[in-house]
Amino acid sequence: MHHMSGPVAHLGYARVDTQRSHRQGMPECVFCPGKTPTQVAEIMAVLFEREGLAVATRASRRTYQAVKQRLPQARYYTKARVVAAGQPKSTIDTLVLVASAGTVDIPVAEEAAVTAELLGLKVERLYDVGVAGLHRLLAEEESLHRADVIVVVAGMEGALASVVGGLVDCPVIAVPTSNGYGASMKGLSALLTMLTSCVPGVAVVNIDNGFGAAALAHRIARVGQPLHSDGGRDGRHPG
Amino acid sequence: MHHMSGPVAHLGYARVDTQRSHRQGMPECVFCPGKTPTQVAEIMAVLFEREGLAVATRASRRTYQAVKQRLPQARYYTKARVVAAGQPKSTIDTLVLVASAGTVDIPVAEEAAVTAELLGLKVERLYDVGVAGLHRLLAEEESLHRADVIVVVAGMEGALASVVGGLVDCPVIAVPTSNGYGASMKGLSALLTMLTSCVPGVAVVNIDNGFGAAALAHRIARVGQPLHSDGGRDGRHPG
Amino acid sequence: MHHMSGPVAHLGYARVDTQRSHRQGMPECVFCPGKTPTQVAEIMAVLFEREGLAVATRASRRTYQAVKQRLPQARYYTKARVVAAGQPKSTIDTLVLVASAGTVDIPVAEEAAVTAELLGLKVERLYDVGVAGLHRLLAEEESLHRADVIVVVAGMEGALASVVGGLVDCPVIAVPTSNGYGASMKGLSALLTMLTSCVPGVAVVNIDNGFGAAALAHRIARVGQPLHSDGGRDGRHPG
Amino acid sequence: MHHMSGPVAHLGYARVDTQRSHRQGMPECVFCPGKTPTQVAEIMAVLFEREGLAVATRASRRTYQAVKQRLPQARYYTKARVVAAGQPKSTIDTLVLVASAGTVDIPVAEEAAVTAELLGLKVERLYDVGVAGLHRLLAEEESLHRADVIVVVAGMEGALASVVGGLVDCPVIAVPTSNGYGASMKGLSALLTMLTSCVPGVAVVNIDNGFGAAALAHRIARVGQPLHSDGGRDGRHPG
Amino acid sequence: MHHMSGPVAHLGYARVDTQRSHRQGMPECVFCPGKTPTQVAEIMAVLFEREGLAVATRASRRTYQAVKQRLPQARYYTKARVVAAGQPKSTIDTLVLVASAGTVDIPVAEEAAVTAELLGLKVERLYDVGVAGLHRLLAEEESLHRADVIVVVAGMEGALASVVGGLVDCPVIAVPTSNGYGASMKGLSALLTMLTSCVPGVAVVNIDNGFGAAALAHRIARVGQPLHSDGGRDGRHPG
Amino acid sequence: MHHMSGPVAHLGYARVDTQRSHRQGMPECVFCPGKTPTQVAEIMAVLFEREGLAVATRASRRTYQAVKQRLPQARYYTKARVVAAGQPKSTIDTLVLVASAGTVDIPVAEEAAVTAELLGLKVERLYDVGVAGLHRLLAEEESLHRADVIVVVAGMEGALASVVGGLVDCPVIAVPTSNGYGASMKGLSALLTMLTSCVPGVAVVNIDNGFGAAALAHRIARVGQPLHSDGGRDGRHPG
Amino acid sequence: MHHMSGPVAHLGYARVDTQRSHRQGMPECVFCPGKTPTQVAEIMAVLFEREGLAVATRASRRTYQAVKQRLPQARYYTKARVVAAGQPKSTIDTLVLVASAGTVDIPVAEEAAVTAELLGLKVERLYDVGVAGLHRLLAEEESLHRADVIVVVAGMEGALASVVGGLVDCPVIAVPTSNGYGASMKGLSALLTMLTSCVPGVAVVNIDNGFGAAALAHRIARVGQPLHSDGGRDGRHPG
Amino acid sequence: MHHMSGPVAHLGYARVDTQRSHRQGMPECVFCPGKTPTQVAEIMAVLFEREGLAVATRASRRTYQAVKQRLPQARYYTKARVVAAGQPKSTIDTLVLVASAGTVDIPVAEEAAVTAELLGLKVERLYDVGVAGLHRLLAEEESLHRADVIVVVAGMEGALASVVGGLVDCPVIAVPTSNGYGASMKGLSALLTMLTSCVPGVAVVNIDNGFGAAALAHRIARVGQPLHSDGGRDGRHPG
């Protein structure tokens, strides 16, 4: 059992932040590596109870099963390795396009796409449009221009972020991936490429951090949204 | 003399992109290192003629003087090392707070602040609020919560981005600076700190890239703005 | 069998330093990786016989079992991965607070906490107080101010050390952990963050080196303690 | 002119923390690089007025002259590149030994020694005792054993910290220096050496950070000192 | 004076290889850094006498003047920093397109272009076509398809090599440049980008090595050329 | 089932580029890591149908078996870890010599050799000729001089590329391998060696990228080949 | 079966250098990683037949068993992971002392010691004398002074090489090991320490390269030995 | 004035080791960077008085002039940047060949050659024999075989050490130099190349450390020399 101390639930090994959606605009999510399946399940139960939405990333199927026992409504997004229970409190009418360079980058792209959906954003996917075959990307320019925010997921040389950033006027969030070999140095090469992009206005997050890209897209989407009476900015409530 | 080829002005050493404000939402700006003062002046003259606004960053005083001869209305922002002529086509009612950790980070912070103003954003400054004296930051929490976008400029350990990101719900753009010595490795330490922030939703740009932070803030500010008849999103025109 | 040569016990593969508590103030401890369970057991038996206290870190359960066969009084601290037999010769009335940023950092934090206890120090624990939720830390300021020495254990961006260091006036020992992914580069990012802290007076030890942090806390605690007749500084004897 | 906001003096480019000696046990000191001589002088004037002691490190002679005009009692420690005005509020009866490996490391060693003296500690110096001539160090073992805290300053391979740490039982603060060439990589080699020392209880600070070593020594010295009525720990007042 | 030893002219500080055009297909060229102007002039005189062509790269104007005194027919390519005397023995009907990403990359691009011309290749230039404004590049697709070999010169993120490589079927030689700042790490970022290009068939040379790119283009151009009676492959002799 | 969109076959997880042989001169090949055996089989079936040749690299035997089920004519090159079905459309009368430094480098060398053969080039192999026994290489100088293009595959210090490059006048493609230990840093050492070769005209590709070396050799071989009526350069058709 | 081509035996995957003992003073030895047990056995059979001595390093027990089937006289040095058959042609009256810092470094130290013995040198071992307990080393100064060459094997901070080098006047060969964690970065830290040693005359070899240290000791031992009639230097033949 | 404390002369900023030739076989030499000309002169005077030989490396002409005033017999080796006074106590009949890859490496090669001569060794020079023109090296094989020890000085890819090491049976001391650009990373590339040499028996010293190479050659030369009555090994006394 946990005990509460103000807005924090003490579990011994964790202090669950149950007012984060108030403070940072989205509930605390669970990063699974380094936690036992039981710990993840216990934290998610607290979050679900307080926030109505519990999300865990980098979750193995075994972790999912532990959560499922505790929260029967939990579901597993296999490609994204995300476990979730509940729904976003509200949706925001902002379209996030998640584009990935290669087939191998899909798990990170799905982590971004699924997280964004769970945070109430609208999401489109555009996969395998790396610059080696530029016409595949240019054929989808309409999709690019329709988006409010674009998340670009790419490993190896990571050039896709610059090319997309040069074609559009909306914020581009670049997610380097650790896919690749040799001089890709586990994503460092793509990371540096994205940071040194000649296109102004590209935001970079950590290697493989699809979750962080979605969280950033969510913060961006809330800019310009009308303020709620509770002091936080928020979107329309679902249904 | 330059000659035009569609939306590009050929200057021999440069192809000036005169429709970038249409395509990327802001005019091309000039990055001075590696260009002679005369080249900067010539490019700015083309941009000013076509876009009504010409901006050059990392400009020395000598470059400013060359521009001034060509464009008498040019002005020099000394601390920011920015030369500009003209005004933004429109302003956007989005408040960007530029916070810096130390006195030594002010040139990069000013590059961000001045660029954001030139792109039509509203800007507030909050300098010397590094985490070594946390109370200096906490005393300004109201400023933090008022902002729509926060640019955090910090060298050395760069921890300010995480701390600010944990306090607010708006997008935080982290700019590592090359200030520091030893293990700061010319900004690499702050860069890594910011990329690995435990706070979801922190956007990172290149070391010392105050300009890029402002450009990203501008792209973010335009999300949710009503679309203009010319196909681009845009804000209100100035008075 | 081993043979003695002055203050060193020769085991063939190891020279056990049986006067280290005289010279460095604490007995030699065994770092298990690279040693067989049998070797660890044999070294611990020598240390226990001479020093009355034998400690081994990074010990697997299998190593514990080998030690247990040799030294039935041995006990295993699971979370800390520490095997120990015997008691500290003396206790010191110095309070060490071990604070960790995340749940995943607990094994390193426990290595520090358990070792400190085995060296005779008083220990409090404060876990999962990372800067992403700063209020969790600020709610515990009283604990921070009560401590004589604070060990801060953090992976990813490692900003917790700076924030704690800025709040207190006692020595802060920063332990970066290898937890994290991507740009955390197996703890290098947190290490650099801690080394470049803007707060003066933060001591840094190697990545994941909870043991070293405890040893340093022990050396610090002994400063100002009355000198014993045997030439070494020492604390009060237990009960 | 500056204006006060609680315990912070606003100078526009800096927020001077005038209660740091209350909170962190020592007054804020000025790190000169990136500040103009006039800014340094102005900050020091505020600090001297509030704290009775103002210290600036990495100060050029030109900066000293600017300070001198503002604070005639300012003095310049040439080898240490430190400017100071005023006296420590109290002294602490703790002996800090500053040992350096080579002649070239003396500026960093002096920064540590002078700062420690300005913070009220007792200081001895032991220079040019690098391990290439081990007998030079062993001849001074008595000095090593007399010290309460030892600051070891070394560039190139930085092995001195391990050797000293193995000989004594007090806290050893290791300061890598950027002196050296080739594989010393501006101090990185010495830094890594010190972090991976096999001797438990060695504290490491940033490359060339003599000031930080002194600040850490000061925090260590205050452990076990009797508490003052104002809530802070403190030493004896000077004569 | 120098003396000959078979195909090598001994100058004391240098052994000039006077049969390299026989063995490697092109004469030895002089890399100036680390050589005095007089040494460069002396080596070029030997090369000119034996090979009929002498080329020196990274030459300062002062070096040019020293060469000019010795070889009055020497000429200086200012932008390329190349000094040359004489003509290529033969020309090859292969078209090399030198494309550069930014204005700042022109010196390296010119080093490649001028060297290629001096080796008898046909050269076209296409400058300032970086991916931030992709339409500038796509507008020149005809030039790209006309080329037999393309040299791509780019700093910062270096994405141009991948984009060009994906559009054409001829060999692409990628030259990263040290232009940029922060995470570009003096060209390392562009180098890694180019090495990890998803486009198969991109050749990479050292950072800033315009000369090497031209030499590689020359070796490529000679593949498939008819063999001469002297055992080497060669092109048509100039008019 | 996949559906076509112009020259791209959409498979959901991949967009197969079925006109790449028209555009880049060779068909798209499949890089297996990160794709399931079923995905590889499905992509290869599309490629085989459209291009008449399907090639997959870094293929496990399990992947081969999945492909074999779908394309019974598929064959597995064990040492090269390549799966292929079909034949090159045309052959080119260009001789590629693949030389490797050590036995351990053979898998990468075979990836290069087999791919080159599949692209229609003539291939000779020269293995285990590292510079530690230079006479082994010099004994094969005739082979070196007979080649049109030489691929040099080497790990550890990678010096073979420079030595070969100095002996011949044809293009040398250097492939560093990740074989080695310690300071070879997974191929980084060999990569740097090859990039800094003093021999002008050495092309470098990514670590372990035998496939890329073959693709580059193929692009080189096509330079100077007569143009076909379809606008692409091409060689003679087989038998 | 293999066939001979002058002094090289061709095995398809390897060219065995059967005159290396003539040219480099010691027979070729086999580095096992990347070779199958059968390949190692086949190469050793050739070497044993021609040179009378065959040595393989980094050999698994499985490799040993394959060799044993082919060469029944083969023996396995378990700690050193060396397989050998035959005896050195001659012994040299040079004493090599192999000193290691920790128990964990013994495998590398044994690789050096066993190889040196197989090359005909006299060997003494001195293990677990790291600088954390300096007296353990100083107690053995007589051993140090008796040696003609000292091999120092150390991981973590690698300071032992400097300390030993400062005590003796003979060549010191430093072997960094990959043992350690965190900032030891798989031996890189020890490597840098040894390269930047302040003691002149320390030779460094690759991380974990005990074999290379022995080979270097062998080359050193042969300096000053009388020349044999066959043009090579050599030692006395064994009894 | 200095005062003596046993075998150490205290100068305040330095402890001059006046018995190093007894202990390490050669006198202490002065590394000039970080010392003032006056300090160098003062230390050299002490060394000259005690040892009869004083050597300073990396000496500017200004330092030489300061030494000259103090020690009129001092001489300056311009290319080597060495200042020396006095003669070696004894000479050793060992031939050291110093080979350098390029003209630019001559200063480091001369530092090695001059130091070796000052330590009493016989020296030959072989400059500008880099592997780009392998025949230049092979033409000098006789010189290589005549040498007892070979010092190989090379920047950029540093392959010369492996090639030489494979041709001879004597110890090869590899000195990487910081000459080069781009991926040579100030000598790191050459350093890694030399450490990972496939040739067993190559000793590596720090980047640009010509002095260290000479010191190592000197230690090697003394192995096998008859012992003197004073306990040190030594060679013949000069004429």
Side-chain angles (χ1 to χ4, degrees), chain H residues 113-144:
Chain H
V114 166
T115 305
E117 286 167 343
L118 289 168
L119 293 174
L121 300 165
K122 296 204 294 190
V123 174
E124 284 188 10
R125 288 153 171 91
L126 187 60
Y127 291 168
D128 201 25
V129 290
V131 298
L134 194 61
H135 64 292
R136 296 182 300 196
L137 178 68
L138 297 179
E140 305 281 354
E141 261 201 273
E142 198 190 348
S143 297
L144 298 175

Side-chain angles (χ1 to χ4, degrees), chain A residues 79-94:
Chain A
K79 278 185 289 187
R81 297 158 304 163
V82 166
V83 176
Q87 301 295 338
K89 271 194 193 150
S90 57
T91 61
I92 307 179
D93 192 23
T94 298

Side-chain angles (χ1 to χ4, degrees), chain C residues 21 40 65 68 74 76 88 97 99 106 114 133 148 171 179 185 189 192 194 198 202 218:
Chain C
S21 65
V40 173
Q65 284 155 351
K68 184 84 179 170
Y76 190 48
L97 176 70
I106 289 179
V114 167
D148 293 302
N179 301 314
M185 296 198 287
S189 175
L192 294 174
M194 288 164 168
C198 291
V202 172
H218 184 249

Side-chain angles (χ1 to χ4, degrees), chain F residues 41 63-75 83:
Chain F
T63 292
Y64 163 60
Q65 284 155 352
V67 175
K68 184 82 179 171
Q69 281 202 309
R70 188 76 182 253
L71 290 172
Q73 61 275 71
R75 56 203 181 277
V83 177

